[in-house]
Amino acid sequence: MGRHSVFVKEKTRKGLWSPEEDEKLYNYITRFGVGCWSSVPKLAGLQRCGKSCRLRWINYLRPDLKRGMFSQEEEDMIVTLHKVVGNRWAQIAAKLPGRTDNEIKNFWNSNLKKKLIKQGIDPNTHKPLSENYQVRNETNCTDKASSLLMPKLPNMSNSAEIEQPFHFNSKRIFNSEAITRQLTEVSRNQLVSKQVFDPLFLYEFQANVNPIGHYVHHHNQIEGNQDFGFCSNFQHGQMTTESGISDSSTSRMSTSNSSNTMISHYSSAGIQMNEMLEWDADNKIDSLIQYPYVGIKNEENFSNNNNNNNPLSGENLDVFHHI
DNA sequence: AAAGACACCAACCGCCCAACC
DNA sequence: TGGTTGGGCGGTTGGTGTCTT
């Protein structure tokens, strides 16, 4: 690892974290805070490198993590931001409270990328695929996303064919089909050129979902954020649902089936206009990312919600008792 | 029922950069 | 001023679960 000589000298564990390791790290950080990561493993009694501890904390143990499914706003937000900043996941994550760059990156690669391609949009350029396809064919481009998926693409000049979902895994396509059904050529263009939040769309979207199971998990996650992102049925490395099925793309539904459906859905995005406007890294983005949230009622402040929680409460530490 | 294919995601790797000495 | 260290980031990999054949 070159400069990170510590990792070579010390016997460091690799691979998945055990519940005991999680507990040690969690207890240490919540008690003493994040100082020098390189000293954390020793002080916390872990045989991990500091870098690994940092990653584990940031991507998994951190109390303010939202976890669970991405809401439609979050999806739109990611697409919109990616259009502007590209693969700068950290920048995108900074605008999505409770989400990590790694999480967003994975979600993009496993879900959004394909969704965009299905919509006839090149995920790299955010332009219609038909144009790029021609260019790529001419230049023999070996881009992974395009080259792998391109052979399956229908003729994008035929709008009727665009409506046909590709032959993805029948279960996993579940959400995507619902989305695709909603997306006429016009609406799809709107999605790209101007993000539009459509509650009805979401309502229909959810109508196909078993109200129990995956969904309940997410519901608890968002509205009952008292447990810092650890839900009561937390298991090591997994956020399980009542049906015992771990989260997957299949369960990426909007947030609530309660009477507060839309409200919690709105707030679940955890995005506020003032937060966006504070983003000085790329001012040109601001104008782009404001419109999806116009008119959105944000009754809860995700950040505040989290800040009000006590990270050292027994409830939070209780998560490890379930492991 | 079993094997292969596929999808997801946690974690690792390597590079970059800023801070420190 | 140059070397070292630590943190951050994006790309990639490998394990695991699920689906298809």
Side-chain angles (χ1 to χ4, degrees):
Chain A
M1 284 281 290
R3 272 172 282 182
H4 302 282
S5 55
V6 170
F7 306 156
V8 183
K9 288 176 188 171
E10 301 289 333
K11 272 188 185 175
T12 54
R13 265 175 55 84
K14 288 184 180 178
L16 294 177
W17 280 64
S18 69
E20 290 77 21
E21 287 177 309
D22 279 343
E23 184 174 7
K24 282 180 181 176
L25 181 60
Y26 184 84
N27 286 338
Y28 176 81
I29 299 295
T30 51
R31 283 200 184 115
F32 304 108
V34 177
C36 176
W37 279 113
S38 59
S39 61
V40 165
K42 196 174 181 179
L43 296 170
L46 292 163
Q47 289 188 314
R48 295 273 181 175
C49 66
K51 208 171 185 177
S52 182
C53 292
R54 175 185 160 270
L55 216 60
R56 184 63 176 173
W57 174 258
I58 289 174
N59 289 334
Y60 193 81
L61 295 175
R62 221 174 65 199
D64 61 343
L65 286 181
K66 193 183 282 182
R67 314 190 70 81
M69 304 165 288
F70 280 82
S71 69
Q72 189 61 46
E73 284 93 35
E74 286 176 310
E75 283 192 28
D76 292 344
M77 186 72 163
I78 292 168
V79 171
T80 305
L81 292 176
H82 186 273
K83 191 175 183 179
V84 180
V85 302
N87 292 358
R88 291 175 185 167
W89 307 115
Q91 279 190 36
I92 297 173
K95 288 292 115 184
L96 293 166
R99 300 295 185 185
T100 69
D101 54 350
N102 206 36
E103 191 179 13
I104 293 170
K105 180 171 58 183
N106 283 332
F107 183 51
W108 174 266
N109 287 327
S110 64
N111 196 304
L112 288 181
K113 220 170 176 179
K114 292 164 190 171
K115 196 178 280 185
L116 285 177
I117 291 172
K118 274 178 69 179
Q119 294 167 11
I121 300 163
D122 188 315
N124 298 317
T125 64
H126 293 265
K127 291 175 181 173
L129 263 172
S130 54
E131 292 174 13
N132 296 328
Y133 187 36
Q134 283 182 341
V135 173
R136 287 172 190 279
N137 278 344
E138 288 166 8
T139 57
N140 254 342
C141 180
T142 56
D143 174 71
K144 203 175 178 180
S146 303
S147 61
L148 288 176
L149 290 162
M150 268 308 173
K152 295 179 181 177
L153 288 174
N155 179 2
M156 289 308 169
S157 61
N158 184 341
S159 61
E161 285 191 35
I162 297 174
E163 296 298 318
Q164 300 289 329
F166 297 123
H167 180 67
F168 287 114
N169 180 316
S170 61
K171 289 280 171 72
R172 294 181 193 276
I173 201 172
F174 177 60
N175 291 344
S176 305
E177 284 181 338
I179 290 169
T180 306
R181 277 199 297 273
Q182 308 296 325
L183 290 170
T184 63
E185 185 80 338
V186 174
S187 63
R188 201 174 294 121
N189 288 336
Q190 284 178 336
L191 189 65
V192 178
S193 61
K194 183 179 180 180
Q195 305 293 317
V196 175
F197 178 66
D198 181 2
L200 290 175
F201 162 74
L202 287 166
Y203 182 82
E204 288 189 28
F205 194 30
Q206 295 170 45
N208 293 315
V209 185
N210 182 342
I212 316 174
H214 302 8
Y215 181 49
V216 170
H217 143 228
H218 193 200
H219 175 73
N220 292 339
Q221 197 62 43
I222 301 303
E223 293 195 334
N225 207 22
Q226 304 304 313
D227 57 2
F228 282 92
F230 292 125
C231 65
S232 59
N233 46 358
F234 172 98
Q235 290 179 354
H236 175 248
Q238 298 285 336
M239 293 294 285
T240 59
T241 66
E242 288 185 3
S243 58
I245 301 168
S246 66
D247 181 32
S248 72
S249 61
T250 315
S251 61
R252 293 193 197 287
M253 299 290 147
S254 50
T255 48
S256 175
N257 61 349
S258 70
S259 58
N260 290 328
T261 297
M262 298 321 299
I263 293 172
S264 67
H265 180 88
Y266 296 152
S267 58
S268 71
I271 301 159
Q272 296 198 336
M273 297 302 290
N274 56 350
E275 287 179 333
M276 296 182 202
L277 294 171
E278 284 170 6
W279 193 13
D280 56 2
D282 220 333
N283 288 336
K284 64 180 178 178
I285 300 172
D286 290 338
S287 60
L288 282 172
I289 60 180
Q290 286 174 28
Y291 49 73
Y293 303 96
V294 171
I296 290 176
K297 184 178 180 181
N298 198 340
E299 291 197 343
E300 294 176 7
N301 182 326
F302 182 80
S303 303
N304 289 341
N305 190 16
N306 285 326
N307 291 338
N308 291 336
N309 291 319
N310 176 5
L312 283 173
S313 71
E315 191 181 359
N316 301 319
L317 294 173
D318 190 49
V319 60
F320 294 106
H321 300 155
H322 294 279
I323 298 170

